[in-house]
Amino acid sequence: KATMEARFQAEKARLEKGIEHYEKRLAKTGDQAESENQRAPLARILARDRMALAQLLKKHPDWMAPERMGVLTQRSWLGTHSSNVENDPIHRGKWIREGLRGGRVPDVPITVDAQIPENAEKTLRERMERTRGAECWKCHRLMDPLGLPFELYDHFGSLRKTELDRAVVTTGEIFNSGDPALDGPVAGPEELIKKLAESEHVQQVFVRYAFRFWMGRNETLEDARTLQDAHKAYKESDGSMSALLKSLLTSDAFLYRTGANPKGVASNED
């Protein structure tokens, strides 16, 4: 978040400096007819920078507000992992489990009717108590506690404080992550996101997914050095995507890749 704020301030300062510069240049040209050819392009640049600054300032209060922190609190992510009428903590948690922690949740058994019961007098969290049955909880414990902290937002991604005139409960838990320092209860989305962001395991999972996307295949044991170098570049640059991509795209694994996947290695399309 601090990095995003620094980038915002740098871009804001750049635009403000440009606006001041072109305002002074316009003032110097005067209103003479012979300077009209000079004034027109300067005016266009000035208008462009003013519009860019206005758009930047308009976005800032939302994505830098105290209740927003990274991708997991952006409206686009929250809305994508919701239904048309309400939140979907189960699929939000499943995405975090698989996309950020590199875990896997088994498919729903064909004998299970995976539906949350409707009840206009109960909150979604209360209706989800059904998933705590012995036959459901062994899988849902891997997802639900990761998605429930995001009940702080509705299915449009807007902040909310109440549901059915009751205070929204945002507690959750990180369970069976493989890292004892990461496991444990969380009070809300901010604590959950901070724990995930500080986890080296989560960073490595992100690097692995980046590798798969840009190489077009899954990793092998021979790719260990490439993954280690990419993670090192990402970590030393304070999470720079540019540094990560530079490391991956200058690696031997990328430069000397062949058209076919290595024997026994699946592609992302398989």
Side-chain angles (χ1 to χ4, degrees):
K1 192 170 184 177
T3 302
M4 293 174 70
E5 176 66 14
R7 290 173 180 169
F8 167 82
Q9 293 297 341
E11 179 66 6
K12 178 172 176 284
R14 184 188 72 80
L15 290 170
E16 289 176 337
K17 185 177 180 180
I19 290 171
E20 182 182 3
H21 170 74
Y22 287 110
E23 285 177 341
K24 288 179 179 179
R25 286 192 60 183
L26 272 173
K28 286 181 180 180
T29 60
D31 296 324
Q32 296 87 352
E34 62 270 15
S35 65
E36 186 60 33
N37 290 336
Q38 292 178 286
R39 291 176 60 82
L42 293 175
R44 285 196 296 270
I45 296 173
L46 180 60
R48 181 200 64 191
D49 284 357
R50 283 174 173 169
M51 181 177 295
L53 180 60
Q55 291 175 342
L56 184 69
L57 294 174
K58 185 178 179 180
K59 293 178 182 178
H60 181 262
D62 187 53
W63 60 263
M64 284 305 299
E67 67 274 5
R68 303 286 178 182
M69 181 181 285
V71 172
L72 298 184
T73 57
Q74 288 185 3
R75 292 176 183 270
S76 55
W77 185 84
L78 293 164
T80 297
H81 299 90
S82 299
S83 73
N84 290 333
V85 295
E86 63 182 1
N87 289 343
D88 192 344
I90 296 171
H91 282 91
R92 288 176 179 176
K94 185 175 187 290
W95 190 93
I96 294 172
R97 179 83 185 183
E98 296 180 340
L100 296 182
R101 294 193 26 216
R104 182 179 177 277
V105 178
D107 293 333
V108 179
I110 60 174
T111 56
V112 173
D113 180 19
Q115 299 292 327
I116 301 297
E118 295 290 338
N119 190 323
E121 297 180 355
K122 288 186 176 182
T123 66
L124 179 57
R125 180 185 283 262
E126 291 169 343
R127 289 187 284 126
M128 283 178 58
E129 287 293 321
R130 178 177 180 176
T131 66
R132 301 221 170 206
E135 70 281 7
C136 302
W137 190 234
K138 61 183 180 181
C139 292
H140 276 273
R141 191 177 183 186
L142 304 175
M143 305 179 288
D144 298 8
L146 293 171
L148 283 169
F150 297 95
E151 286 296 276
L152 184 64
Y153 309 91
D154 63 17
H155 59 296
F156 287 116
S158 300
L159 180 70
R160 64 176 185 171
K161 298 294 185 182
T162 62
E163 182 182 3
L164 299 179
D165 296 324
R166 281 174 273 173
V168 171
V169 180
T170 61
T171 55
E173 181 188 15
I174 299 175
F175 169 73
N176 195 24
S177 70
D179 181 0
L182 188 60
D183 287 349
V186 294
E190 182 174 351
E191 184 179 359
L192 173 64
I193 292 169
K194 282 183 177 179
K195 279 192 167 188
L196 293 172
E198 293 167 1
S199 168
E200 187 164 287
H201 174 70
V202 171
Q203 294 174 11
Q204 291 170 345
V205 170
F206 176 73
V207 169
R208 189 165 77 233
Y209 275 114
F211 175 96
R212 291 176 180 178
F213 179 83
W214 291 100
M215 302 297 175
R217 62 175 176 84
N218 290 339
E219 66 281 3
T220 68
L221 290 175
E222 287 75 15
D223 296 313
R225 181 61 182 272
T226 298
L227 291 168
Q228 291 167 359
D229 289 345
H231 177 242
K232 182 180 178 181
Y234 179 77
K235 191 172 183 180
E236 291 181 348
S237 63
D238 193 27
S240 169
M241 190 68 182
S242 296
L244 170 60
L245 291 181
K246 182 178 179 180
S247 177
L248 288 175
L249 301 184
T250 56
S251 68
D252 287 352
F254 182 82
L255 295 176
Y256 299 106
R257 68 197 186 282
T258 59
N261 290 328
K263 186 176 181 181
V265 178
S267 74
N268 288 344
E269 297 179 357
D270 292 344

